[in-house]
């Protein structure tokens, strides 16, 4: 893409960050992001919730506050009942309401497959932007949601698991990263990003590259959804996760003891994943306290070192 030179662009797409940031005044900037995708669960209401939480997440990952959003919709209105679209939009609206975000419009096109998401606008103090580019050696790495939603969605499609097994993961995917976003500021986190389609290792790599550091991840400390490793062993691995794992091999050094299934799970393409946060070790208790009472985990999964790339131990 051509680079647009503009002094008000505080975060553009060149650092692979979660959202763009545009300065309006010295004390106010806009955070902008858009995300939409095809259904990953059967229930249209839950799909709407997940897609909305996922889209809002990129604002929280920058430490911003989402304020308004537009629906982005594709729908095969000639072959699917309009009530399904209604349920998708209701799901999205319920999450927007929970986030205090006003949906003020949107756009719908006819398409062979449903797609839904949000274009989101948030605000942030330009002096308090949390990017993925400031992780420092000596920091610890914290993850706020378990990994494995891609594997679980594939297992559901192939009937390896039933809807029951998806209930808990659906609640995780529909959970806002709002409290984790606020905790970034409370604890003075150095860097953050949310874990989505490129998987934990892919987003860790973007943080490592943007920050000019190496990230060390302790595989056994990474929280996984129930049943994920067993499902990998049975072959429930999405194509996107295999592609991720192939790409991640180029910059990841795996210690010999890391089981193959676990290594693959670390590349699993996530939907509406948690925040990966780099913060000084002495801020951990502040970060944890700021999450108290929310669903978010405070799982310490590794540390930041000098060098480059990702080490999985
Ligand atoms: Co993101
Ligand atoms: Co995104």
């Amino acid at each position: 893409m051509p680079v647009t030179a503009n002094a008000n662009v505080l975060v553009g797409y060149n650092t692979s960050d979660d959202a763009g940031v545009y300065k309006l005044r010295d004390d106010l900037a806009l955070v902008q992001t858009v995300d939409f995708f095809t259904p990953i669960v059967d229930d249209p209401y839950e799909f709407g919730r997940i897609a909305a939480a996922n889209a809002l997440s990129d604002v929280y990952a920058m430490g911003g506050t989402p304020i308004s959003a537009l629906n982005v919709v594709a729908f095969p209105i000639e072959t699917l009942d309009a009530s399904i679209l209604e349920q998708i939009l209701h799901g999205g609206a319920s999450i927007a309401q929970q986030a205090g975000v006003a949906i003020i419009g949107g756009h719908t096109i006819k398409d062979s497959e449903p797609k839904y998401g949000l274009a989101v606008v948030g605000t942030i103090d330009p002096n308090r932007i949390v990017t993925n580019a400031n992780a420092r050696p000596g920091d610890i790495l914290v993850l706020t949601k378990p990994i494995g939603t891609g594997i679980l969605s594939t297992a559901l499609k192939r009937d390896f698991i039933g809807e029951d097994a998806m209930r808990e993961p659906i609640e995780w995917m529909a959970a806002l990263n709002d409290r984790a976003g606020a905790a970034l500021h409370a604890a003075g986190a150095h860097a953050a990003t949310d874990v989505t389609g490129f998987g934990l290792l892919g987003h860790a790599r973007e943080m490592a590259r943007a920050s000019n550091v190496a990230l060390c991840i302790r595989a056994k400390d990474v929280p996984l959804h129930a049943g994920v490793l067993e499902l990998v062993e049975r072959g429930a691995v999405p194509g996107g996760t295999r592609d991720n794992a192939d790409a991640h091999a180029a910059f990841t050094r795996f210690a010999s003891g890391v089981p193959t299934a676990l290594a693959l799970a670390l590349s699993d393409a996530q939907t509406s994943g948690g925040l990966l946060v780099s913060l000084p070790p002495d801020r951990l208790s502040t970060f944890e306290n700021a999450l108290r009472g929310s669903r978010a985990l405070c799982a310490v999964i590794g540390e930041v070192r000098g060098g480059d790339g990702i080490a999985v131990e």
Side-chain angles (χ1 to χ4, degrees):
M1 275 177 57
V3 177
T4 317
N6 185 322
N8 292 321
V9 177
L10 303 181
V11 179
Y13 53 80
N14 51 328
T15 50
S16 304
D17 219 315
D18 295 294
V21 182
Y22 186 93
K23 188 170 90 168
L24 294 178
R25 302 189 312 237
D26 285 345
D27 63 344
L28 183 66
L30 292 178
V31 185
Q32 289 184 272
T33 180
V34 58
D35 246 305
F36 61 98
F37 46 71
T38 55
I40 50 145
V41 292
D42 292 335
D43 184 312
Y45 183 81
E46 300 299 356
F47 168 52
R49 291 174 73 214
I50 292 166
N54 178 74
L56 293 167
S57 175
D58 280 325
V59 176
Y60 295 126
M62 310 292 296
T65 304
I67 55 171
S68 65
L70 305 172
N71 283 319
V72 181
V73 183
F75 197 77
I77 194 68
E78 276 139 12
T79 53
L80 278 185
D81 198 273
S83 68
I84 292 173
L85 175 55
E86 199 177 331
Q87 288 177 64
I88 293 171
L89 296 178
H90 272 264
S94 76
I95 290 297
Q97 187 179 17
Q98 191 188 325
V101 167
I103 295 182
I104 56 177
H107 186 70
T108 308
I109 59 162
K110 268 196 257 182
D111 199 358
S112 55
E113 204 174 4
K115 299 173 185 77
Y116 176 63
L118 297 175
V120 187
V121 171
T123 56
I124 195 165
D125 179 339
N127 305 303
R128 301 188 77 197
I129 302 168
V130 184
T131 68
N132 63 2
N134 195 31
R136 299 176 200 170
D139 282 358
I140 52 171
L141 296 171
V142 174
L143 182 66
T144 66
K145 287 187 187 181
I147 296 291
T149 62
I151 290 158
L152 287 165
S153 303
T154 296
L156 179 72
K157 275 183 203 143
R158 295 187 193 165
D159 288 326
F160 286 12
I161 57 171
E163 290 280 339
D164 262 14
M166 281 306 283
R167 228 160 255 160
E168 186 64 14
I170 283 174
E171 287 313 312
W172 276 108
M173 288 187 279
L176 290 170
N177 283 326
D178 55 347
R179 294 286 301 278
L184 298 176
H185 293 304
H190 284 157
T193 189
D194 60 347
V195 179
T196 52
F198 296 133
L200 177 62
L201 294 184
H203 292 282
R205 149 75 160 179
E206 285 175 352
M207 182 181 284
R209 186 163 47 182
S211 303
N212 281 311
V213 294
L215 301 195
C216 170
I217 292 172
R218 284 185 302 274
K220 67 170 176 27
D221 292 339
V222 175
L224 300 176
H225 287 289
V228 162
L229 293 183
E230 190 204 63
L231 289 167
V232 170
E233 275 154 13
R234 290 172 64 193
V237 181
T241 295
R242 289 221 186 268
D243 292 347
N244 279 348
D246 290 345
H248 297 170
F251 55 77
T252 309
R253 300 175 297 277
F254 287 98
S256 55
V258 179
T260 314
L262 181 51
L264 201 58
L266 300 184
S267 291
D268 187 35
Q270 300 300 283
T271 298
S272 194
L275 299 193
L276 173 66
V277 181
S278 180
L279 78 169
D282 62 349
R283 311 276 177 78
L284 178 62
S285 59
T286 310
F287 190 80
E288 193 165 20
N289 283 332
L291 294 177
R292 196 151 286 164
S294 77
R295 171 179 278 268
L297 305 177
C298 184
V300 179
I301 63 162
E303 66 201 27
V304 181
R305 294 176 183 168
D308 58 30
I310 308 293
V312 177
E313 296 179 349

